[in-house]
Amino acid sequence: MRDVVVIGAGLAGLTAATRLMQQGKSVALVSKGIGGIQLGQGTIDFLGYTPDLIHDPIEGINQTVDDSHPYFHFSADDAASAAEWIRDLMGNDLLVGDGHKNYRLPTALGSLRPTALPQPSMVFGEPSGRKIVLVGFDRLKDFYPDLAAENLRRQTNPDGTPIKARAIHVDLEVREGEVDSSAVQFARALDSPDVQEELCRLVKPHLLDGEVVGFPAVLGLADTNAWKRISQRLDHDVFEVVIQPPSVPGMRLNERFTRLVKSGMKDPGAIHSIPDETGVLASRSRFILGGHVIGFDTDDDRVTSVTVASAGHPTTIQAKEFVLATGGFEAGSLAMDSHGTVSETLFDLPLHGVTDEMINGDYWGEQPLFRVGLKVDEQMRPLDTTGQAVYSNLRAAGGLIGGANRWREKSGDGIALLTGLRAADSIVSAGAIDSEEGSKK
Ligand SMILES: Cc1cc2nc3c(=O)[nH]c(=O)nc-3n(C[C@H](O)[C@H](O)[C@H](O)COP(=O)(O)OP(=O)(O)OC[C@H]3O[C@@H](n4cnc5c(N)ncnc54)[C@H](O)[C@@H]3O)c2cc1C
């Protein structure tokens, strides 16, 4: 029997599984597919808007005082240590910042988007008063530098002056004879020093003194320092602009996190913070990707096992504790039927925030549907309508928890991170698991 089954491998599930393994718990991380990290920006957003622009996202979480909001359970200190945890885990070639500043980075449409922990390849995009030149690739249809530059010119630098931005185009062939390559094909090609050099050869003659050079975010997939080498060759500061999903920066983050979790299962030294001379810790955890959890068993107020659909016949996984990190509507974890009834699709847990008018006719207006989700206690245990934990050993994390408008607030990543850490920590600190071997209580 495992100590904990974590269901879902998005940011929340990966976070909870990693933290539990760092504390010596054996984990079965079961997920029907990869999570949403690579659909996002490859940054960690804590809080962008409330609806006013937030400058210090960590202190800003105190402004979400509504007790239905997931951040209600967290302090600024919790957020600061979560920011430090994920940044240190991912490494400073992938995430920078301490979370106390929202970087305002150009989007592919030329607006400015706040984020707490960007990738270092993005940081020079922050308006600073210097002129910006955006580079478009003729063979990449997902980035229109003229449009982005035009919109950027409508925005201002920190001193209030208009941003100066222009666009150039180059014809970089990343696959022989192909006129319309994808962002991922560009990124894979730009892992090669030869293609990096060719890019610089094409771009350099167009650059003016002092310009900061923005590229669509395809500057290497495996090579997270490609942007630095390109910057050195061009002798200009360089930044990446995230384009539409699947985003290359999101893929970098997802691959790094997933690899860390897998290697932590093989080699404890990779992520465990407690000694494991025997190799027991590592051998007891498993990552089951492609495992769709379709059912569960209970005994009194406890979940005892989950059922995973697999070829041939379903498999049962028993554990002492369970973390439900199955995301929101976008992951199929919440669903609405043709009668407008919203449900949690695995445990049929009670949902909060359900109203008669779930969808606002004003497309750009506040949509009550997006706030629907679980209500949880301090330990992240889903609550019923009387405020009692539905199951004593079931915790939730991430997009499944209601009360926030994650896209609008730019809070989805921070919520996934904080709730994933809290779900794991509360399992450990409650001494909930009396492990037979290797666990540290
Ligand atoms: C396109 C897009 C852009 C976004 N942009 C931003 C942004 O800019 N800023 C921001 O803060 N947030 C953004 N978000 C939201 C943010 O990504 C999410 O809030 C956050 O990542 C949720 O993480 P999660 O781990 O809870 O869920 P997910 O990442 O959705 O992961 C859920 C996981 O559960 C698995 N799963 C679901 N059901 C089952 C089951 N029955 N059995 C087994 N596994 C199951 C799925 O396969 C998946 O691995 C964006 C989301 C999307 C989709």
Side-chain angles (χ1 to χ4, degrees), residues 115-402:
T115 187
L117 305 180
Q119 297 196 6
S121 58
M122 302 168 182
V123 167
F124 282 111
E126 263 212 311
S128 63
R130 290 193 288 163
K131 289 181 192 162
I132 290 175
V133 55
L134 297 176
V135 181
F137 297 122
D138 292 346
R139 292 168 196 251
L140 175 69
K141 302 289 184 276
D142 293 344
F143 182 58
Y144 299 91
D146 301 270
L147 172 74
E150 188 182 333
N151 282 336
L152 268 182
R153 289 195 292 271
R154 298 191 177 132
Q155 323 266 350
T156 53
N157 290 302
D159 65 3
T161 57
I163 293 174
K164 290 193 173 142
R166 69 183 182 103
I168 61 170
H169 297 255
V170 295
D171 187 9
L172 179 71
E173 188 183 58
V174 292
R175 297 224 303 193
E176 205 181 332
E178 195 169 74
V179 292
D180 185 9
S181 301
S182 70
V184 177
Q185 284 159 353
F186 266 88
R188 290 209 173 107
L190 280 160
D191 280 336
S192 150
D194 291 346
V195 182
Q196 292 168 15
E197 195 178 330
E198 171 65 2
L199 172 64
C200 294
R201 193 187 63 74
L202 291 170
V203 169
K204 182 119 178 137
H206 296 281
L207 302 183
L208 304 175
D209 278 353
E211 278 184 323
V212 191
V213 190
F215 291 95
V218 297
L219 302 183
L221 184 57
D223 180 2
T224 51
N225 286 314
W227 70 278
K228 274 192 192 165
R229 271 188 287 282
I230 291 167
S231 170
Q232 279 158 6
R233 265 184 207 285
L234 293 176
D235 199 20
H236 281 252
D237 287 331
V238 155
F239 65 95
E240 288 189 304
V241 179
V242 182
I243 57 177
Q244 66 190 47
S247 93
V248 169
M251 290 173 75
R252 289 179 198 140
L253 209 53
N254 192 55
E255 280 184 24
R256 174 80 52 95
F257 209 162
T258 308
R259 198 159 11 96
L260 259 172
V261 168
K262 285 182 178 164
S263 59
M265 289 172 174
K266 285 199 196 111
D267 165 21
I271 58 166
H272 283 277
S273 54
I274 63 172
D276 179 30
E277 285 84 11
T278 58
V280 165
L281 296 178
S283 64
R284 293 187 310 141
S285 289
R286 255 185 94 197
F287 192 164
I288 305 165
L289 193 56
H292 189 180
V293 179
I294 52 169
F296 62 103
D297 275 315
T298 59
D299 181 8
D300 198 13
D301 75 335
R302 295 179 70 78
V303 179
T304 51
S305 66
V306 290
T307 309
V308 182
S310 49
H313 60 90
T315 311
T316 297
I317 307 177
Q318 295 179 325
K320 296 161 191 162
E321 300 286 326
F322 296 80
V323 178
L324 186 64
T326 44
F329 286 99
E330 65 275 21
S333 173
L334 300 176
M336 184 191 249
D337 67 16
S338 56
H339 302 285
T341 308
V342 188
S343 59
E344 187 279 310
T345 55
L346 181 52
F347 288 87
D348 197 21
L349 294 164
L351 295 176
H352 296 251
V354 177
T355 62
D356 291 339
E357 296 271 323
M358 297 296 284
I359 297 174
N360 183 347
D362 171 10
Y363 181 81
W364 296 109
E366 168 80 26
Q367 298 294 346
L369 185 66
F370 291 159
R371 289 188 187 271
V372 171
L374 306 179
K375 187 163 180 155
V376 291
D377 65 10
E378 286 278 314
Q379 294 185 41
M380 303 294 111
R381 291 179 307 182
L383 300 176
D384 64 18
T385 47
T386 67
Q388 300 298 308
V390 183
Y391 296 106
S392 61
N393 64 340
L394 176 68
R395 287 164 175 81
L400 186 60
I401 300 176

Side-chain angles (χ1 to χ4, degrees), residues 51-134:
D52 297 330
L53 175 69
I54 295 293
H55 296 282
D56 180 336
I58 282 189
E59 293 301 329
I61 75 163
N62 290 328
Q63 292 179 28
T64 53
V65 287
D66 175 354
D67 75 351
S68 65
H69 197 287
Y71 279 159
F72 180 76
H73 297 294
F74 299 93
S75 66
D77 285 348
D78 293 328
S81 55
E84 193 181 339
W85 183 84
I86 189 76
R87 193 199 53 217
D88 291 351
L89 190 74
M90 292 297 108
N92 60 12
D93 63 323
L94 261 195
L95 288 179
V96 290
D98 62 5
H100 277 293
K101 165 188 164 168
N102 258 333
Y103 293 78
R104 298 192 70 210
L105 303 176
T107 68
L109 290 178
S111 57
L112 295 173
R113 192 183 77 87
T115 187
L117 305 180
Q119 297 196 6
S121 58
M122 302 168 182
V123 167
F124 282 111
E126 263 212 311
S128 63
R130 290 193 288 163
K131 289 181 192 162
I132 290 175
V133 55
L134 297 176

Side-chain angles (χ1 to χ4, degrees), residues 7-14 30-37 39-41 43-47 113-114 245 289 291-294 324-328 330-333 345-346 397-401 406-407 409-416 419:
I7 311 167
L11 181 57
L14 290 169
V30 192
S31 190
K32 67 178 179 183
I34 49 175
I37 297 178
L39 294 177
Q41 311 278 321
T43 58
I44 302 289
D45 303 347
F46 272 82
L47 190 64
R113 192 183 77 87
L289 193 56
H292 189 180
V293 179
I294 52 169
L324 186 64
T326 44
E330 65 275 21
S333 173
T345 55
L346 181 52
L400 186 60
I401 300 176
R406 295 175 283 137
W407 289 273
E409 296 168 355
K410 301 267 170 257
S411 61
D413 302 324
I415 290 169
T419 56

